[in-house]
Amino acid sequence: MARPKEFDVDKAVAAAVEVFREHGFEGTSAQMLVDAMGIGRQSLYDTFGDKWGVYLAAVRHYSQAEVRTHAELLGSRERAIDGIRAMLDRVAEDAGKGCLGLSSTVEFGCARPDLMKIREAAGSTLTRAMESTLLRGREQGDISRDPDLDHLTTFLTATISSMRLAARGGADSVLISALAELALRALR
């Protein structure tokens, strides 16, 4: 008879997220994960299979939480443009911590189908939320009618990635906030 898990899997995965955000997949050892997650090495292997299994669980957990937060912020204001501002302001505030979604793209590109599936699901959900908000912003007269919605959504996604990458590379908060402000101007 198998023994029941003696740890909270969600808390352990959340701890793994922070390790992978800081060190990436290649820079993270199994020992670093065991220490951060507060579990034994055998529990790691029994629950996740291997380090890659922990990584997939961490990327999934992180991506779902980020998309949920972005979508909530996008819909949190009466005016759509203010929801977009709230989302970009949050990214600017948090940009220096590193983004597990972005780092997984940088580290693996399109080489891992299991990782691509997680990123595509998160991207699809975020794209729908952004498109809906941009459409609402157009209806309110705050978003330009010229660019295609797909292009504007791609622009917003690229802006978020650029802000996070610039911050991770050492850009200060003034520059990161300026990128958010420029994006908002470009939408009008």
Side-chain angles (χ1 to χ4, degrees), residues 62-76 83-84 86-88 90-91 99 126 129-130 133 160 164:
Y62 176 84
S63 298
Q64 290 171 347
E66 281 295 295
V67 168
R68 183 174 44 256
T69 301
H70 286 326
E72 288 170 0
L73 288 169
L74 286 168
S76 69
I84 294 168
M87 178 187 69
L88 292 175
R90 180 201 171 252
V91 170
C99 172
L126 182 57
M130 285 182 178
T133 303
I160 289 169
R164 288 180 163 162

Side-chain angles (χ1 to χ4, degrees), residues 25-66:
F25 179 79
E26 288 300 325
T28 298
S29 69
Q31 188 60 50
M32 291 166 74
L33 290 170
V34 165
D35 291 345
M37 297 167 78
I39 63 175
R41 191 175 292 264
Q42 192 59 50
S43 291
L44 183 145
Y45 294 120
D46 289 347
T47 304
F48 301 101
D50 56 13
K51 184 173 95 167
W52 183 250
V54 178
Y55 187 72
L56 291 176
V59 172
R60 184 177 299 107
H61 175 87
Y62 176 84
S63 298
Q64 290 171 347
E66 281 295 295

